[in-house]
Structures are given as C-alpha cells and as structure tokens.
Amino acid sequence: MSPLFSQAQLLGLDEHHLIELPGGQRLTAATATAFLAMQQAARSAGLELAVASGHRNFGRQLQIWNGKFTGQRPLLDADSRPLDTDRLDETQKVAAILRWSALPGCSRHHWGTDLDLYAPNLLPAGARLQLEPWEYRADGYFAPLSAWLDAHMADFGFYRPYTGAASSMGDEPWHLSFIPEARQAEQLLRLESLATCLQSADIAGKACILAQLPQLWHQLTSHAQESTP
C-alpha cells in the first residue's frame, strides 16, 4: 500500500491531495468530511463553526517565520505578551517563534489534516479574531465553543495537539487535528527530507536552525508521540 502522503505534501510543497471547502479553505477529503459533519452538529447546538486557517503551504509558513525572525511580525511570550526582539540572540528567537509558530516544513497545517476553528456568531461586533488562548477560556467569548469541542470533537475524529502540555509550545485551544490521517503524517515525515528542504530555502536564521535541527526534530516528534490520543 502506498503512503497516504508524499514527503513533498508533508513539507507543504505539494497541494494535490487537498479539496476546497466553501469559503476557500483547503483540507484533505477525509478531514473535510469530518469537519462538515462536526459543523452540522455544532449548528444544531447554536454554534457556527468556521475555519480560520486550514492548509498552509511551505511558502506561507516561510513568510510567517521570516516576518517574526526579522521583527516585522510580533514575537510573543508564553502569556501572549510582546517580546523585545532586540534583546534576543538567534537561538532565543528560534525558541520564541516555535512557541506559537511551526518551523516551515514542520507545520501540521501543511498536511491538510489540521485546522484553526472559531465561531463567528460568538465574536462580538467590531472585535477582531486574535486566535489567542484568552478568547477560548472561561471568561472568553469562545468559551461555549471550547466547551462544545471538549465534549464532541472526538466523536468526529478530532483532538487538540497543542494543549500546553509541552513546555516549549503554547496552548492553542483553537487548533484541531484529524486523528486518522494526522497520526500517519506524523509517522511519515522524515528529518532528512526536512533538512534538504530547509537547506535550499531562503529562511531567516538558517545556520542557527540547521545547527540545532536534530534537537528541534526530537522536540517535535516527542511532542507528537505524547499528544496524539
């Protein structure tokens, strides 16, 4: 049996395995089917589920990374407070970025199995979606959504891969992963493929990243093993 994903698809370099949802977000066919079923169930409970971000290719993740590394995008600490990037060396910048953003080639959003969810009908008029933990906590406006997902997401094959259990990664209650396919993606991605991809990419901090890539890879794979149900 051939692998579910190619290395190029896992790295965000090939998008042929995806389908488009209404609204333009893209997922694998199986993930999309599961999400649409969950969306319908949530609607019956008075919640409108929407995808803020589905598939994200390597180029888009690279833009996010480079923007944060160069100071064009804000870097946040564990409590979502801005960091002073001028006080950080390259190793510290890499660690700070990885708390909230994946290394290009390592993003679960490359796979089409992962999506960031919110409920537009719970977003107050005039408010801008932040995708920060406080929005989903008990006093946040997405608290009813978070509670519903706690109770029902597993019925549709989803779980949260980033719950703050790993100290190096931030809590992302909005990020859901489709277990049947994401588990396979975690097992298929190879360090050698990632290293080759990054060596040819115009990524900020490349020398620093490549020097510690085996360690970063270990953190990534260890977290995947610990967090997957």
Side-chain angles (χ1 to χ4, degrees):
M1 181 181 297
S2 60
L4 180 63
F5 299 96
S6 69
Q7 291 299 298
Q9 289 167 344
L10 293 171
L11 293 167
L13 302 173
D14 181 354
E15 305 172 10
H16 287 93
H17 61 305
L18 307 172
I19 65 169
E20 189 169 309
L21 293 171
Q25 298 289 350
R26 292 178 297 164
L27 300 168
T28 68
T31 304
T33 297
F35 165 70
L36 292 172
M38 185 169 65
Q39 184 183 54
Q40 181 60 42
R43 186 173 294 122
S44 299
L47 296 170
E48 293 295 330
L49 295 190
V51 180
S53 183
H55 173 263
R56 191 183 303 140
N57 65 24
F58 182 90
R60 177 57 181 150
Q61 195 68 26
L62 183 64
Q63 289 177 344
I64 294 170
W65 179 275
N66 286 349
K68 291 188 174 184
F69 198 94
T70 60
Q72 297 174 11
R73 289 172 173 263
L75 270 181
L76 305 179
D77 66 12
D79 297 314
S80 301
R81 296 174 301 197
L83 291 167
D84 183 356
T85 56
D86 292 338
R87 295 178 176 270
L88 305 179
D89 61 26
E90 289 198 344
T91 299
Q92 291 170 326
K93 284 184 182 180
V94 169
I97 296 171
L98 289 175
R99 181 172 294 279
W100 296 110
S101 296
L103 184 66
C106 286
S107 175
R108 300 177 70 94
H109 283 283
H110 292 336
W111 309 340
T113 63
D114 286 53
L115 54 158
D116 296 336
L117 284 185
Y118 74 110
N121 64 321
L122 298 181
L123 189 66
R128 186 172 66 88
L129 179 66
Q130 302 289 323
L131 288 183
E132 293 184 0
W134 61 267
E135 295 172 293
Y136 294 77
R137 290 174 182 157
D139 55 349
Y141 33 73
F142 293 141
L145 167 63
S146 190
W148 190 90
L149 290 172
D150 286 342
H152 300 287
M153 62 184 174
D155 297 338
F156 302 92
F158 290 99
Y159 83 107
R160 292 185 176 100
Y162 302 122
T163 60
S167 61
S168 62
M169 299 179 182
D171 183 19
E172 297 189 0
W174 55 84
H175 185 133
L176 267 61
S177 185
F178 185 56
I179 299 170
E181 293 189 334
R183 182 182 289 120
Q184 295 185 54
E186 292 168 353
Q187 296 170 349
L188 288 169
L189 183 60
R190 296 288 176 259
L191 173 58
E192 296 78 9
S193 300
L194 174 63
T196 299
C197 180
L198 292 175
Q199 285 167 354
S200 62
D202 185 17
I203 184 169
K206 181 188 293 190
C208 180
I209 294 166
L210 293 176
Q212 57 180 317
L213 190 58
Q215 176 186 350
L216 298 177
W217 175 261
H218 176 72
Q219 292 173 359
L220 170 71
T221 55
S222 296
H223 172 73
Q225 293 169 359
E226 292 169 1
S227 64
T228 304

